[in-house]
Amino acid sequence: QVQLVQSGSELKRPGASVKVSCKASGYTFTKYTMNWVRQAPGQGLEWMGWINANTGNPTYAQGFTGRFVFSLDTSVSTAYLQISSLKAEDTAVYYCARDSEGADYWGQGTLVTVSS
Amino acid sequence: QSVVTQPPSATGTPGQRVTISCSGSNSNIGRHDVYWYQQLPGTAPKLLIYKTNQRPSGVPDRFSGSKSGTSASLAISGLRSEDEADYYCAVWDVTLSGAVFGGGTKLTVL
């Protein structure tokens, strides 16, 4: 069965960096694009962009350029989201979600808290 | 502010039929398929409707989607207490060259 398992919660200081992982299993990793979605506390969903797991080509939504980087390690079927120069407003749950006629499988989410 | 608008809340009673709207423009809903997601409290979102009116395997036929012009709707018939959740529409926007979510609708089952 398809599963996306994300890394655990993170507590970071402002200005630091964080790398969230999303390990896929149950399907051929390189056949599907992976979405990243942000949900700030008490807020709605925001599409951050996606990465083509076959080519490694990322696409970033407006507002998620510069400090946000999507990457892959296809040898371990894992997608990564790295955020640098963290700010308090980056505090959110970050989800990975496989793209197949919609985001059909989601990770459990990773809470990133940015606080001094 | 999302370019796709949903009512912040909706209410229904068990057994009732409720609809949730998603209003956009010719840059998004007017030319692309709409997707709907259900997010139960404290959990990850779940795909409910894809390609405007298709249900993934396992989604009850109580849930249905439709679109007319630049607006889309999610209908839930035979409302149940377990349907209490946040519902989001999503669609590709050609102007933004990216996907957008509606702001979400919190459904309360009285």
Short mmCIF file of all heavy atoms in Angstrom, two decimals, chain B residues 7-78:
data_model
loop_
_atom_site.label_atom_id
_atom_site.label_comp_id
_atom_site.label_asym_id
_atom_site.label_seq_id
_atom_site.Cartn_x
_atom_site.Cartn_y
_atom_site.Cartn_z
N PRO B 7 -17.15 29.70 1.34
CA PRO B 7 -17.73 30.22 2.57
C PRO B 7 -16.96 29.66 3.74
O PRO B 7 -16.54 28.49 3.71
CB PRO B 7 -19.17 29.69 2.53
CG PRO B 7 -19.10 28.49 1.66
CD PRO B 7 -18.05 28.76 0.64
N PRO B 8 -16.72 30.44 4.79
CA PRO B 8 -15.93 29.94 5.92
C PRO B 8 -16.61 28.84 6.70
O PRO B 8 -15.93 28.02 7.32
CB PRO B 8 -15.71 31.18 6.79
CG PRO B 8 -16.73 32.16 6.35
CD PRO B 8 -17.06 31.86 4.94
N SER B 9 -17.94 28.80 6.66
CA SER B 9 -18.63 27.80 7.44
C SER B 9 -19.90 27.32 6.75
O SER B 9 -20.45 28.01 5.88
CB SER B 9 -18.98 28.35 8.83
OG SER B 9 -19.86 29.45 8.71
N ALA B 10 -20.32 26.14 7.13
CA ALA B 10 -21.58 25.55 6.66
C ALA B 10 -22.10 24.68 7.80
O ALA B 10 -21.33 24.15 8.61
CB ALA B 10 -21.36 24.73 5.40
N THR B 11 -23.40 24.54 7.84
CA THR B 11 -24.04 23.77 8.92
C THR B 11 -25.13 22.89 8.36
O THR B 11 -25.82 23.27 7.40
CB THR B 11 -24.66 24.73 9.96
OG1 THR B 11 -23.66 25.63 10.42
CG2 THR B 11 -25.20 23.95 11.14
N GLY B 12 -25.29 21.71 8.94
CA GLY B 12 -26.36 20.82 8.56
C GLY B 12 -26.72 19.90 9.70
O GLY B 12 -26.00 19.81 10.70
N THR B 13 -27.82 19.21 9.54
CA THR B 13 -28.25 18.23 10.53
C THR B 13 -28.15 16.83 9.93
O THR B 13 -28.15 16.69 8.68
CB THR B 13 -29.69 18.49 10.98
OG1 THR B 13 -30.54 18.51 9.83
CG2 THR B 13 -29.80 19.83 11.70
N PRO B 14 -28.06 15.82 10.76
CA PRO B 14 -27.94 14.45 10.23
C PRO B 14 -29.04 14.12 9.23
O PRO B 14 -30.22 14.41 9.47
CB PRO B 14 -28.02 13.59 11.49
CG PRO B 14 -27.45 14.46 12.55
CD PRO B 14 -27.94 15.84 12.22
N GLY B 15 -28.62 13.53 8.10
CA GLY B 15 -29.56 13.15 7.06
C GLY B 15 -29.81 14.21 6.02
O GLY B 15 -30.29 13.93 4.92
N GLN B 16 -29.42 15.44 6.33
CA GLN B 16 -29.64 16.56 5.42
C GLN B 16 -28.65 16.54 4.26
O GLN B 16 -27.64 15.83 4.30
CB GLN B 16 -29.47 17.86 6.22
CG GLN B 16 -30.13 19.08 5.61
CD GLN B 16 -30.02 20.29 6.56
OE1 GLN B 16 -29.14 20.36 7.42
NE2 GLN B 16 -30.92 21.25 6.38
N ARG B 17 -28.95 17.33 3.24
CA ARG B 17 -28.02 17.53 2.14
C ARG B 17 -27.46 18.95 2.23
O ARG B 17 -28.22 19.91 2.40
CB ARG B 17 -28.73 17.37 0.79
CG ARG B 17 -27.83 17.52 -0.44
CD ARG B 17 -28.63 17.27 -1.70
NE ARG B 17 -27.81 17.26 -2.91
CZ ARG B 17 -27.53 18.32 -3.64
NH1 ARG B 17 -28.00 19.51 -3.29
NH2 ARG B 17 -26.79 18.21 -4.74
N VAL B 18 -26.14 19.05 2.16
CA VAL B 18 -25.50 20.37 2.20
C VAL B 18 -24.61 20.53 0.98
O VAL B 18 -24.11 19.55 0.44
CB VAL B 18 -24.68 20.58 3.49
CG1 VAL B 18 -25.56 20.53 4.71
CG2 VAL B 18 -23.56 19.58 3.58
N THR B 19 -24.46 21.77 0.57
CA THR B 19 -23.54 22.05 -0.52
C THR B 19 -22.54 23.11 -0.08
O THR B 19 -22.88 24.02 0.69
CB THR B 19 -24.27 22.53 -1.79
OG1 THR B 19 -24.98 23.74 -1.48
CG2 THR B 19 -25.22 21.49 -2.30
N ILE B 20 -21.32 22.98 -0.56
CA ILE B 20 -20.25 23.93 -0.29
C ILE B 20 -19.78 24.48 -1.63
O ILE B 20 -19.47 23.70 -2.54
CB ILE B 20 -19.09 23.24 0.46
CG1 ILE B 20 -19.57 22.77 1.84
CG2 ILE B 20 -17.91 24.19 0.60
CD1 ILE B 20 -18.56 21.91 2.58
N SER B 21 -19.74 25.78 -1.74
CA SER B 21 -19.39 26.40 -3.00
C SER B 21 -17.91 26.80 -3.05
O SER B 21 -17.25 26.96 -2.01
CB SER B 21 -20.25 27.65 -3.23
OG SER B 21 -20.00 28.60 -2.21
N CYS B 22 -17.44 26.95 -4.27
CA CYS B 22 -16.05 27.34 -4.52
C CYS B 22 -16.10 28.26 -5.74
O CYS B 22 -16.42 27.80 -6.85
CB CYS B 22 -15.23 26.09 -4.77
SG CYS B 22 -13.50 26.35 -5.19
N SER B 23 -15.84 29.53 -5.52
CA SER B 23 -15.99 30.52 -6.59
C SER B 23 -14.64 31.02 -7.07
O SER B 23 -13.79 31.40 -6.27
CB SER B 23 -16.83 31.69 -6.06
OG SER B 23 -16.97 32.69 -7.05
N GLY B 24 -14.47 31.01 -8.39
CA GLY B 24 -13.19 31.43 -8.95
C GLY B 24 -13.36 32.34 -10.15
O GLY B 24 -14.21 33.23 -10.13
N SER B 25 -12.56 32.08 -11.16
CA SER B 25 -12.58 32.93 -12.35
C SER B 25 -12.20 32.12 -13.58
O SER B 25 -11.98 30.91 -13.51
CB SER B 25 -11.57 34.07 -12.17
OG SER B 25 -10.25 33.56 -12.20
N ASN B 26 -12.11 32.83 -14.71
CA ASN B 26 -11.73 32.15 -15.94
C ASN B 26 -10.25 31.78 -15.95
O ASN B 26 -9.80 31.09 -16.88
CB ASN B 26 -12.05 33.03 -17.14
CG ASN B 26 -13.54 33.05 -17.44
OD1 ASN B 26 -14.20 32.02 -17.37
ND2 ASN B 26 -14.07 34.23 -17.74
N SER B 27 -9.52 32.22 -14.94
CA SER B 27 -8.11 31.83 -14.84
C SER B 27 -7.94 30.49 -14.13
O SER B 27 -6.86 29.90 -14.15
CB SER B 27 -7.31 32.88 -14.06
OG SER B 27 -7.23 34.08 -14.77
N ASN B 28 -8.99 30.02 -13.50
CA ASN B 28 -8.85 28.77 -12.74
C ASN B 28 -10.06 27.85 -12.97
O ASN B 28 -10.04 27.02 -13.87
CB ASN B 28 -8.61 29.06 -11.26
CG ASN B 28 -9.47 30.21 -10.71
OD1 ASN B 28 -10.68 30.10 -10.64
ND2 ASN B 28 -8.82 31.30 -10.33
N ILE B 29 -11.11 28.01 -12.21
CA ILE B 29 -12.24 27.08 -12.32
C ILE B 29 -12.85 27.09 -13.71
O ILE B 29 -13.32 26.05 -14.21
CB ILE B 29 -13.30 27.41 -11.24
CG1 ILE B 29 -12.71 27.15 -9.84
CG2 ILE B 29 -14.57 26.58 -11.45
CD1 ILE B 29 -13.64 27.52 -8.68
N GLY B 30 -12.83 28.25 -14.34
CA GLY B 30 -13.43 28.36 -15.67
C GLY B 30 -12.74 27.53 -16.74
O GLY B 30 -13.32 27.28 -17.81
N ARG B 31 -11.52 27.06 -16.46
CA ARG B 31 -10.82 26.30 -17.49
C ARG B 31 -10.13 25.04 -17.00
O ARG B 31 -9.54 24.31 -17.80
CB ARG B 31 -9.82 27.18 -18.22
CG ARG B 31 -8.71 27.72 -17.38
CD ARG B 31 -7.68 28.44 -18.24
NE ARG B 31 -8.18 29.70 -18.77
CZ ARG B 31 -7.57 30.40 -19.72
NH1 ARG B 31 -6.46 29.93 -20.27
NH2 ARG B 31 -8.06 31.55 -20.13
N HIS B 32 -10.20 24.76 -15.71
CA HIS B 32 -9.53 23.57 -15.18
C HIS B 32 -10.42 22.78 -14.24
O HIS B 32 -11.39 23.31 -13.68
CB HIS B 32 -8.25 23.97 -14.43
CG HIS B 32 -7.13 24.36 -15.34
ND1 HIS B 32 -6.46 23.47 -16.14
CD2 HIS B 32 -6.58 25.58 -15.58
CE1 HIS B 32 -5.53 24.11 -16.84
NE2 HIS B 32 -5.59 25.39 -16.52
N ASP B 33 -10.08 21.50 -14.09
CA ASP B 33 -10.79 20.64 -13.16
C ASP B 33 -10.59 21.10 -11.72
O ASP B 33 -9.57 21.69 -11.37
CB ASP B 33 -10.31 19.19 -13.29
CG ASP B 33 -10.90 18.49 -14.50
OD1 ASP B 33 -12.12 18.64 -14.74
OD2 ASP B 33 -10.14 17.80 -15.21
N VAL B 34 -11.58 20.78 -10.90
CA VAL B 34 -11.56 21.15 -9.49
C VAL B 34 -11.40 19.89 -8.64
O VAL B 34 -11.90 18.81 -9.01
CB VAL B 34 -12.87 21.88 -9.10
CG1 VAL B 34 -12.86 22.25 -7.62
CG2 VAL B 34 -13.03 23.13 -9.97
N TYR B 35 -10.70 20.03 -7.56
CA TYR B 35 -10.46 18.93 -6.63
C TYR B 35 -10.96 19.34 -5.25
O TYR B 35 -10.89 20.53 -4.89
CB TYR B 35 -8.96 18.60 -6.58
CG TYR B 35 -8.43 18.17 -7.93
CD1 TYR B 35 -8.17 19.10 -8.93
CD2 TYR B 35 -8.23 16.83 -8.21
CE1 TYR B 35 -7.72 18.70 -10.19
CE2 TYR B 35 -7.78 16.42 -9.46
CZ TYR B 35 -7.55 17.37 -10.44
OH TYR B 35 -7.11 16.97 -11.68
N TRP B 36 -11.46 18.37 -4.50
CA TRP B 36 -11.96 18.64 -3.16
C TRP B 36 -11.26 17.73 -2.16
O TRP B 36 -11.04 16.54 -2.42
CB TRP B 36 -13.47 18.38 -3.09
CG TRP B 36 -14.28 19.40 -3.83
CD1 TRP B 36 -14.70 19.33 -5.13
CD2 TRP B 36 -14.79 20.63 -3.31
NE1 TRP B 36 -15.43 20.46 -5.45
CE2 TRP B 36 -15.51 21.27 -4.35
CE3 TRP B 36 -14.73 21.26 -2.06
CZ2 TRP B 36 -16.14 22.50 -4.20
CZ3 TRP B 36 -15.36 22.49 -1.91
CH2 TRP B 36 -16.06 23.09 -2.96
N TYR B 37 -10.92 18.31 -1.02
CA TYR B 37 -10.24 17.59 0.05
C TYR B 37 -11.02 17.75 1.35
O TYR B 37 -11.58 18.81 1.63
CB TYR B 37 -8.81 18.12 0.24
CG TYR B 37 -7.96 17.93 -0.99
CD1 TYR B 37 -7.92 18.89 -1.99
CD2 TYR B 37 -7.23 16.76 -1.17
CE1 TYR B 37 -7.18 18.70 -3.14
CE2 TYR B 37 -6.47 16.56 -2.31
CZ TYR B 37 -6.47 17.53 -3.29
OH TYR B 37 -5.72 17.33 -4.44
N GLN B 38 -11.02 16.68 2.13
CA GLN B 38 -11.63 16.68 3.46
C GLN B 38 -10.51 16.58 4.49
O GLN B 38 -9.63 15.72 4.37
CB GLN B 38 -12.56 15.47 3.60
CG GLN B 38 -13.19 15.32 4.98
CD GLN B 38 -13.84 13.95 5.14
OE1 GLN B 38 -13.18 12.92 5.03
NE2 GLN B 38 -15.15 13.94 5.39
N GLN B 39 -10.55 17.46 5.47
CA GLN B 39 -9.57 17.38 6.55
C GLN B 39 -10.29 17.25 7.88
O GLN B 39 -10.89 18.20 8.37
CB GLN B 39 -8.65 18.60 6.55
CG GLN B 39 -7.51 18.47 7.55
CD GLN B 39 -6.52 19.61 7.50
OE1 GLN B 39 -6.88 20.75 7.20
NE2 GLN B 39 -5.25 19.33 7.80
N LEU B 40 -10.24 16.06 8.45
CA LEU B 40 -10.79 15.82 9.77
C LEU B 40 -9.87 16.45 10.80
O LEU B 40 -8.66 16.61 10.55
CB LEU B 40 -10.94 14.32 10.01
CG LEU B 40 -11.91 13.60 9.06
CD1 LEU B 40 -11.80 12.10 9.22
CD2 LEU B 40 -13.33 14.06 9.28
N PRO B 41 -10.40 16.82 11.95
CA PRO B 41 -9.58 17.50 12.96
C PRO B 41 -8.31 16.72 13.31
O PRO B 41 -8.36 15.52 13.58
CB PRO B 41 -10.52 17.57 14.16
CG PRO B 41 -11.90 17.58 13.57
CD PRO B 41 -11.81 16.69 12.37
N GLY B 42 -7.19 17.40 13.24
CA GLY B 42 -5.92 16.81 13.64
C GLY B 42 -5.33 15.80 12.68
O GLY B 42 -4.38 15.09 13.04
N THR B 43 -5.86 15.73 11.47
CA THR B 43 -5.34 14.76 10.51
C THR B 43 -4.94 15.43 9.20
O THR B 43 -5.26 16.59 8.96
CB THR B 43 -6.39 13.67 10.19
OG1 THR B 43 -7.47 14.26 9.43
CG2 THR B 43 -6.96 13.07 11.47
N ALA B 44 -4.26 14.66 8.37
CA ALA B 44 -3.88 15.16 7.05
C ALA B 44 -5.10 15.21 6.14
O ALA B 44 -6.06 14.45 6.32
CB ALA B 44 -2.82 14.25 6.43
N PRO B 45 -5.09 16.10 5.16
CA PRO B 45 -6.20 16.14 4.20
C PRO B 45 -6.33 14.82 3.43
O PRO B 45 -5.37 14.06 3.30
CB PRO B 45 -5.80 17.28 3.26
CG PRO B 45 -4.89 18.14 4.07
CD PRO B 45 -4.13 17.17 4.92
N LYS B 46 -7.54 14.60 2.93
CA LYS B 46 -7.84 13.39 2.16
C LYS B 46 -8.54 13.80 0.87
O LYS B 46 -9.43 14.66 0.89
CB LYS B 46 -8.76 12.48 2.97
CG LYS B 46 -9.38 11.32 2.21
CD LYS B 46 -10.45 10.64 3.04
CE LYS B 46 -11.27 9.66 2.23
NZ LYS B 46 -12.38 9.06 3.02
N LEU B 47 -8.12 13.22 -0.25
CA LEU B 47 -8.75 13.53 -1.54
C LEU B 47 -10.17 12.97 -1.55
O LEU B 47 -10.38 11.77 -1.36
CB LEU B 47 -7.93 12.93 -2.67
CG LEU B 47 -8.44 13.16 -4.09
CD1 LEU B 47 -8.44 14.65 -4.44
CD2 LEU B 47 -7.60 12.37 -5.09
N LEU B 48 -11.13 13.85 -1.83
CA LEU B 48 -12.54 13.47 -1.80
C LEU B 48 -13.14 13.40 -3.21
O LEU B 48 -13.92 12.50 -3.51
CB LEU B 48 -13.29 14.53 -0.98
CG LEU B 48 -14.58 14.15 -0.27
CD1 LEU B 48 -14.36 13.01 0.70
CD2 LEU B 48 -15.12 15.39 0.46
N ILE B 49 -12.78 14.36 -4.05
CA ILE B 49 -13.27 14.44 -5.42
C ILE B 49 -12.10 14.86 -6.30
O ILE B 49 -11.38 15.79 -5.96
CB ILE B 49 -14.40 15.49 -5.57
CG1 ILE B 49 -15.63 15.11 -4.74
CG2 ILE B 49 -14.77 15.68 -7.05
CD1 ILE B 49 -16.43 13.92 -5.27
N TYR B 50 -11.91 14.19 -7.43
CA TYR B 50 -10.91 14.60 -8.39
C TYR B 50 -11.55 14.83 -9.74
O TYR B 50 -12.65 14.32 -10.02
CB TYR B 50 -9.76 13.59 -8.47
CG TYR B 50 -10.13 12.24 -9.08
CD1 TYR B 50 -9.87 11.97 -10.41
CD2 TYR B 50 -10.71 11.24 -8.31
CE1 TYR B 50 -10.18 10.75 -10.98
CE2 TYR B 50 -11.04 10.01 -8.85
CZ TYR B 50 -10.76 9.77 -10.19
OH TYR B 50 -11.08 8.55 -10.74
N LYS B 51 -10.88 15.61 -10.57
CA LYS B 51 -11.39 15.96 -11.89
C LYS B 51 -12.85 16.39 -11.83
O LYS B 51 -13.70 15.88 -12.58
CB LYS B 51 -11.21 14.78 -12.86
CG LYS B 51 -9.76 14.55 -13.25
CD LYS B 51 -9.65 13.51 -14.36
CE LYS B 51 -8.24 13.42 -14.86
NZ LYS B 51 -8.09 12.43 -15.96
N THR B 52 -13.16 17.28 -10.92
CA THR B 52 -14.44 17.97 -10.75
C THR B 52 -15.55 17.09 -10.18
O THR B 52 -16.31 17.54 -9.30
CB THR B 52 -14.92 18.59 -12.09
OG1 THR B 52 -13.92 19.52 -12.54
CG2 THR B 52 -16.24 19.29 -11.96
N ASN B 53 -15.69 15.85 -10.67
CA ASN B 53 -16.85 15.06 -10.26
C ASN B 53 -16.55 13.57 -10.09
O ASN B 53 -17.49 12.75 -10.07
CB ASN B 53 -17.99 15.25 -11.25
CG ASN B 53 -17.58 14.90 -12.68
OD1 ASN B 53 -16.57 14.23 -12.90
ND2 ASN B 53 -18.35 15.36 -13.64
N GLN B 54 -15.29 13.22 -9.97
CA GLN B 54 -14.92 11.81 -9.82
C GLN B 54 -14.57 11.49 -8.37
O GLN B 54 -13.89 12.26 -7.70
CB GLN B 54 -13.73 11.48 -10.73
CG GLN B 54 -13.98 11.77 -12.20
CD GLN B 54 -15.13 10.93 -12.74
OE1 GLN B 54 -15.09 9.70 -12.69
NE2 GLN B 54 -16.15 11.59 -13.28
N ARG B 55 -15.02 10.34 -7.91
CA ARG B 55 -14.74 9.92 -6.55
C ARG B 55 -13.64 8.86 -6.54
O ARG B 55 -13.75 7.86 -7.25
CB ARG B 55 -15.98 9.33 -5.87
CG ARG B 55 -16.96 10.32 -5.34
CD ARG B 55 -18.07 9.58 -4.58
NE ARG B 55 -18.65 8.49 -5.37
CZ ARG B 55 -19.59 8.65 -6.27
NH1 ARG B 55 -20.07 9.86 -6.51
NH2 ARG B 55 -20.06 7.61 -6.95
N PRO B 56 -12.60 9.06 -5.71
CA PRO B 56 -11.61 7.98 -5.55
C PRO B 56 -12.26 6.75 -4.94
O PRO B 56 -13.30 6.84 -4.27
CB PRO B 56 -10.57 8.59 -4.60
CG PRO B 56 -10.80 10.07 -4.67
CD PRO B 56 -12.26 10.24 -4.94
N SER B 57 -11.64 5.62 -5.14
CA SER B 57 -12.12 4.39 -4.54
C SER B 57 -12.22 4.57 -3.03
O SER B 57 -11.30 5.08 -2.39
CB SER B 57 -11.15 3.26 -4.88
OG SER B 57 -11.50 2.09 -4.20
N GLY B 58 -13.35 4.13 -2.47
CA GLY B 58 -13.52 4.20 -1.03
C GLY B 58 -14.29 5.42 -0.54
O GLY B 58 -14.71 5.45 0.61
N VAL B 59 -14.45 6.42 -1.39
CA VAL B 59 -15.23 7.60 -1.00
C VAL B 59 -16.70 7.31 -1.27
O VAL B 59 -17.08 6.94 -2.40
CB VAL B 59 -14.78 8.85 -1.78
CG1 VAL B 59 -15.71 10.03 -1.49
CG2 VAL B 59 -13.35 9.20 -1.41
N PRO B 60 -17.54 7.46 -0.25
CA PRO B 60 -18.97 7.13 -0.43
C PRO B 60 -19.63 8.00 -1.50
O PRO B 60 -19.24 9.16 -1.71
CB PRO B 60 -19.56 7.44 0.96
CG PRO B 60 -18.41 7.42 1.90
CD PRO B 60 -17.23 7.88 1.12
N ASP B 61 -20.65 7.44 -2.13
CA ASP B 61 -21.35 8.19 -3.17
C ASP B 61 -22.25 9.28 -2.60
O ASP B 61 -22.95 9.98 -3.35
CB ASP B 61 -22.13 7.27 -4.10
CG ASP B 61 -23.18 6.44 -3.39
OD1 ASP B 61 -23.41 6.68 -2.18
OD2 ASP B 61 -23.78 5.57 -4.03
N ARG B 62 -22.22 9.45 -1.29
CA ARG B 62 -22.90 10.60 -0.67
C ARG B 62 -22.21 11.91 -1.04
O ARG B 62 -22.81 12.99 -0.93
CB ARG B 62 -22.91 10.47 0.85
CG ARG B 62 -23.56 9.22 1.38
CD ARG B 62 -23.67 9.26 2.90
NE ARG B 62 -22.40 9.27 3.59
CZ ARG B 62 -21.91 10.34 4.22
NH1 ARG B 62 -22.57 11.49 4.22
NH2 ARG B 62 -20.75 10.26 4.87
N PHE B 63 -20.96 11.79 -1.46
CA PHE B 63 -20.18 12.97 -1.84
C PHE B 63 -20.18 13.09 -3.36
O PHE B 63 -19.91 12.13 -4.08
CB PHE B 63 -18.73 12.84 -1.34
CG PHE B 63 -18.60 12.82 0.15
CD1 PHE B 63 -18.63 11.63 0.85
CD2 PHE B 63 -18.43 14.01 0.86
CE1 PHE B 63 -18.52 11.60 2.23
CE2 PHE B 63 -18.31 14.00 2.24
CZ PHE B 63 -18.36 12.78 2.93
N SER B 64 -20.48 14.30 -3.83
CA SER B 64 -20.47 14.53 -5.27
C SER B 64 -19.97 15.93 -5.58
O SER B 64 -20.13 16.85 -4.77
CB SER B 64 -21.86 14.32 -5.87
OG SER B 64 -22.79 15.24 -5.32
N GLY B 65 -19.38 16.08 -6.75
CA GLY B 65 -18.85 17.38 -7.17
C GLY B 65 -19.41 17.78 -8.50
O GLY B 65 -19.78 16.94 -9.33
N SER B 66 -19.49 19.10 -8.71
CA SER B 66 -19.98 19.63 -9.97
C SER B 66 -19.35 20.99 -10.22
O SER B 66 -18.71 21.58 -9.34
CB SER B 66 -21.51 19.75 -9.96
OG SER B 66 -21.92 20.67 -8.96
N LYS B 67 -19.53 21.46 -11.45
CA LYS B 67 -18.97 22.77 -11.82
C LYS B 67 -19.87 23.41 -12.85
O LYS B 67 -20.44 22.74 -13.73
CB LYS B 67 -17.56 22.57 -12.40
CG LYS B 67 -16.85 23.86 -12.74
CD LYS B 67 -15.42 23.60 -13.21
CE LYS B 67 -15.34 23.28 -14.67
NZ LYS B 67 -13.94 23.38 -15.19
N SER B 68 -20.00 24.73 -12.76
CA SER B 68 -20.73 25.50 -13.76
C SER B 68 -20.02 26.84 -13.92
O SER B 68 -19.94 27.62 -12.97
CB SER B 68 -22.18 25.72 -13.34
OG SER B 68 -22.86 26.50 -14.28
N GLY B 69 -19.50 27.06 -15.10
CA GLY B 69 -18.79 28.32 -15.35
C GLY B 69 -17.56 28.44 -14.46
O GLY B 69 -16.67 27.61 -14.50
N THR B 70 -17.55 29.49 -13.66
CA THR B 70 -16.40 29.75 -12.80
C THR B 70 -16.67 29.39 -11.34
O THR B 70 -15.96 29.84 -10.44
CB THR B 70 -15.99 31.23 -12.89
OG1 THR B 70 -17.09 32.06 -12.49
CG2 THR B 70 -15.56 31.60 -14.30
N SER B 71 -17.68 28.56 -11.11
CA SER B 71 -17.97 28.10 -9.75
C SER B 71 -18.10 26.59 -9.71
O SER B 71 -18.53 25.97 -10.69
CB SER B 71 -19.28 28.72 -9.24
OG SER B 71 -19.13 30.10 -9.03
N ALA B 72 -17.71 26.03 -8.59
CA ALA B 72 -17.82 24.59 -8.37
C ALA B 72 -18.52 24.36 -7.05
O ALA B 72 -18.60 25.25 -6.19
CB ALA B 72 -16.43 23.95 -8.36
N SER B 73 -19.05 23.14 -6.89
CA SER B 73 -19.75 22.80 -5.66
C SER B 73 -19.44 21.39 -5.23
O SER B 73 -19.24 20.50 -6.07
CB SER B 73 -21.26 22.93 -5.85
OG SER B 73 -21.65 24.25 -6.04
N LEU B 74 -19.42 21.21 -3.92
CA LEU B 74 -19.34 19.89 -3.31
C LEU B 74 -20.66 19.67 -2.60
O LEU B 74 -21.08 20.52 -1.80
CB LEU B 74 -18.19 19.82 -2.30
CG LEU B 74 -18.12 18.55 -1.46
CD1 LEU B 74 -17.69 17.37 -2.31
CD2 LEU B 74 -17.15 18.74 -0.27
N ALA B 75 -21.31 18.57 -2.90
CA ALA B 75 -22.57 18.25 -2.23
C ALA B 75 -22.38 17.01 -1.37
O ALA B 75 -21.71 16.05 -1.78
CB ALA B 75 -23.68 18.00 -3.25
N ILE B 76 -22.93 17.06 -0.18
CA ILE B 76 -22.90 15.91 0.73
C ILE B 76 -24.34 15.60 1.09
O ILE B 76 -25.04 16.43 1.67
CB ILE B 76 -22.10 16.22 2.01
CG1 ILE B 76 -20.73 16.81 1.68
CG2 ILE B 76 -21.94 14.95 2.85
CD1 ILE B 76 -19.96 17.32 2.89
N SER B 77 -24.78 14.41 0.73
CA SER B 77 -26.14 14.01 1.05
C SER B 77 -26.12 13.02 2.22
O SER B 77 -25.08 12.43 2.52
CB SER B 77 -26.82 13.38 -0.17
OG SER B 77 -26.09 12.24 -0.59
N GLY B 78 -27.26 12.85 2.87
CA GLY B 78 -27.32 11.93 4.01
C GLY B 78 -26.26 12.26 5.04
O GLY B 78 -25.52 11.39 5.50
#
